[in-house]
Amino acid sequence: MLKKSKKIIVILATCCSTLAFGQIQESFRHHDSLNHQWFGDTAYFSVESGRLQLNGPQSSSTLYYATRNTLFDSIEWNFRIELGFNPSSTNFVRVYLMSDSENLRGSLNGYFVQLGQTGGRNNIQFFRQEGTATTLIFSGISEFSSSSGLFVQVRIKRFPNSEWHVYSNASSRLPITSEGEPFVDSTFRKTVAFGFLCRYSTASRHNMYTFGEVRVVPIEEDPIPEPPIIIENLDVVISEIMFNPPTGSAEYLEIFNRSQQDIPFSELRLGRFDTQGRLSGVLIITADEDLILPSQTYAVISRTPEILWQFHNVCPDALLVTMPNMPALSNTSGRYALLRKDSTFIDEIYYHSSMHFALLAETRGVSLERLSFEKPGTDANNWHSASRTAGHATPGCPNSQSVSTFETDKILHLYPSLISPDNTGINDILTISYNLETAGFTGNIRIFNSNGRMVRHLVKSELLGTQGTYFWDGLSDQNTRLPSGVYIVVFDIFALDGRAVRIKRPVGYR
């Protein structure tokens, strides 16, 4: 048992010794409570006013102050040098990062940095020492010459591939910056000491060497920066509006994140326009700064979103967001915008009660759904009443009334080939897409019955782009349902020089 206890004590002592030599963190705030045991010419070094101060003999001297250290791989060295004079080749300072000997004045193998050289340029020089021979490996780009002295904060990193990085600054108010391109030297992979060596031939320099806080610690990996949140136009859209809810229920706006990135709600704002068309208020949507709108996800914004479960088929995975100060949605019309926190517009919508499907006997409790996220939310033809089979509202769910805009190689393309405008959400709407070689034309789209009588003038002399999409809800100009049969979509294209092209396509109606 006694042998076992001694063995445990030896192991603990070894561990403690390893920890003690594992890293150096010395602030020099209090001489009587230094964190590490320092050796060398200790009689000439003292801690004064939070700094390590040399007070050497007033004659030519080489003095050092060191502590034990065995770390050298994936390590960074941090220290501060303050000199009351401009160093030179005969009055200089060395900081030994690695030494295989505790005696920094003698023959050793290791690395040091030096301030002080011929010519007084005084940049950071990095040396390898083998025995008593020294080899310059690296010279920093910054100059620290000053007749009144200098201040240099130094940081040096050594990575597992023996690549060295050197950084510095000349003021505590300035950031640490690189001293040049990294370099590789793997000659030495052993150390027992870190320390300062001061050499002066001018007696008046005997008390002009000062050193600040020392840290020799494992490299702190720079955190991987979060990619910046860049929200483009229509990345997030308003996809559904409930402005005239059932009695006892709540108004809501539904938004959809179309982008491939998760977007914090802290990046979004909701804006409202007044009756003069001015943006009269931009509001934070939620005070929860950690709330995220995931990519390809719907969110329902309401003053009391928890009520919606009682009145609608809310999707189980719906993101419900409480906005206590959400502006009231008028039962007749309104205009709103989604903005970035820097007030850049992301999406804008306009709604009016007349945009509901004309054949509905009652619009209370019926939401308006956006047909296409590609087309503007201010286009009245881009909205349709939610289908009755979906319960007239789809909070947090894909819209029951939605269509896809698409590119086509045809001048005019219709989809589907058969429509049934009964507000069931199945083939309720005809998508009319066009494709032109150049822009600058104007166009008309009219719909005729089989007897050649026009039943709907859908587009009237609009300026056309190279591609575009329109929607027909299957109703006449008088907002009445039409008889079943075959209808003809007529697309007239007019050029500025008077040329005209007419294209006809049939569509079934049931």
Side-chain angles (χ1 to χ4, degrees), residues 262-279:
D262 296 344
I263 295 177
F265 270 91
S266 60
E267 298 289 329
L268 301 176
R269 301 290 187 268
L270 179 63
R272 175 180 58 180
F273 293 85
D274 61 22
T275 55
Q276 282 73 46
R278 297 170 301 193
L279 192 62

Side-chain angles (χ1 to χ4, degrees), residues 36-111:
H36 301 270
Q37 180 181 358
W38 293 79
F39 50 84
D41 299 303
T42 57
Y44 299 111
F45 289 87
S46 60
V47 175
E48 299 176 12
S49 302
R51 298 179 298 174
L52 179 66
Q53 178 72 51
L54 172 67
N55 289 285
Q58 295 187 37
S59 60
S60 180
S61 301
T62 299
L63 307 169
Y64 76 93
Y65 194 68
T67 189
R68 292 176 179 83
N69 174 58
T70 59
L71 298 180
F72 65 89
D73 208 354
S74 294
I75 296 300
E76 66 174 60
W77 293 261
N78 298 270
F79 50 89
R80 187 173 76 244
I81 301 172
E82 297 179 49
L83 302 178
F85 61 95
N86 197 31
S88 65
S89 59
T90 57
N91 297 277
F92 60 80
V93 60
R94 290 179 181 176
V95 180
Y96 278 87
L97 310 175
M98 294 174 57
S99 171
D100 66 352
S101 170
E102 292 185 357
N103 181 6
L104 302 186
R105 260 196 309 262
S107 176
L108 59 87
N109 295 317
Y111 301 99

